[in-house]
Every structure is written in C-alpha cells, then in structure tokens.
Amino acid sequence: MAKLSGMSGDFKGREYPIEQGEITIGRKADNMILLDHPTISSHHCRILRSGDSCVLQDLDSTNGTRVNSRDVKESALHHKDLIQLGSIEFLFDAPELASSGARYTDADAEVATGTMSAPQDFASISPFGAPPAERRGTWYFVLIISGALAAAAVAYFLFMLLRAG
C-alpha cells in the first residue's frame, strides 16, 4: 500500500496511507492528513491517486511543496520520492507503483573529463570558510599575549613556592 512516511521533526516515523481518490494535506482539521505545523498551510497540497498513478498538487501553499528538492506545483509521484511540505519531509513509499527498471531522479550533473582539483579559493574545510587574512594578525597577537600571561603566572607560582619553602 502506498504511504507517506515522516522523515523529520515531530512527524518522523509517522505513516499516512495513500488510498485511491483525493487526499488533502494541511494544517486545518478538514484535511484527510492533518499536519499541525507552522510551515504547513491550511490547505497545503493534495495527492490524487488513480490506479497505478499518483499526482501531487500544491494548493498555493505559503512555504511551498518540493519533490526531490525541486519546487513543484504539480508532479507525478514515484516510489521513494522525497516530498517536502514546508519544512517537513516525507518519503513516498509505494513499491506497488515502482517500475520494473531502476528509476533515477532528474539531476543537473556534469561529467568531468579531466583531472579534478579544489578551487583556488578553497582554503578550509570549515563551512564558515577560513578567517580573513586581516583577522589572522589579531588572533596571533591574542595567542602571544595569552602565552606570555600563562608563562608569567607559572613563574609567579614557582617563585611563591620557592619563597615559602
């Protein structure tokens, strides 16, 4: 049986069956699938299932509807599609709708023909990037002063220890 499986937030692990006909999804109580979450519109979207096909239609939601990370107004659904409603993610699990061959989502991919290397401005693995060069001097200064103060504290402690003994 086709179903939406919650993948994120408070909806992780919840399952919603997708049966024949129209299934409305939204925050308002008159929807067949009620998702009480601030990023979900009152009437966010609907899924139309007829025979072996399912179509997802966005109902002019505020925070959008995405299938496999692409914004959609209407999209055919396939087994293992990732559906995002607002900030909530669902897996469309419908093995009975899976085609006999492997299905791959559309992707903008480029095939590299030569050797690969990092971009010239790639200086750090940090998601925040390397610190700007003008701040490095400040950090070196702070490090040197901290080291000098630590050395002075150790010297003072040893002096006091020797004097007392």
Side-chain angles (χ1 to χ4, degrees):
M1 166 182 275
K3 62 185 173 187
L4 291 180
S5 297
M7 302 292 289
S8 64
D10 294 338
F11 301 94
K12 188 172 186 171
R14 292 189 191 176
E15 294 183 346
Y16 303 93
I18 305 298
E19 297 174 0
Q20 293 292 327
E22 178 179 333
I23 304 212
T24 56
I25 303 171
R27 198 174 64 225
K28 219 169 176 191
D30 63 346
N31 289 287
M32 295 178 78
I33 296 177
L34 176 64
L35 301 177
D36 188 19
H37 191 272
T39 64
I40 302 296
S41 295
S42 298
H43 296 100
H44 198 96
C45 65
R46 67 180 166 195
I47 296 176
L48 303 170
R49 181 166 180 189
S50 177
D52 288 341
S53 69
C54 283
V55 176
L56 175 72
Q57 295 176 335
D58 182 77
L59 299 175
D60 294 322
S61 63
T62 302
N63 293 309
T65 300
R66 288 168 293 291
V67 175
N68 299 322
S69 299
R70 289 190 162 172
D71 289 326
V72 297
K73 287 296 179 188
E74 184 172 306
S75 175
L77 293 178
H78 302 90
H79 180 54
K80 300 292 182 188
D81 276 347
L82 181 64
I83 299 170
Q84 296 166 284
L85 308 177
S87 65
I88 307 298
E89 294 182 335
F90 293 94
L91 178 68
F92 182 68
D93 188 18
E96 70 273 15
L97 301 181
S99 60
S100 58
R103 179 184 170 274
Y104 299 95
T105 59
D106 295 333
D108 297 326
E110 296 179 19
V111 177
T113 56
T115 59
M116 299 295 295
S117 63
Q120 290 180 351
D121 62 348
F122 184 81
S124 172
I125 197 164
S126 167
F128 306 107
E134 61 270 8
R135 281 198 290 167
R136 287 191 192 130
T138 304
W139 284 111
Y140 291 141
F141 177 74
V142 168
L143 183 62
I144 291 169
I145 295 299
S146 298
L149 288 173
V154 169
Y156 178 74
F157 176 74
L158 290 174
F159 174 74
M160 294 304 285
L161 192 65
L162 291 174
R163 187 172 163 207

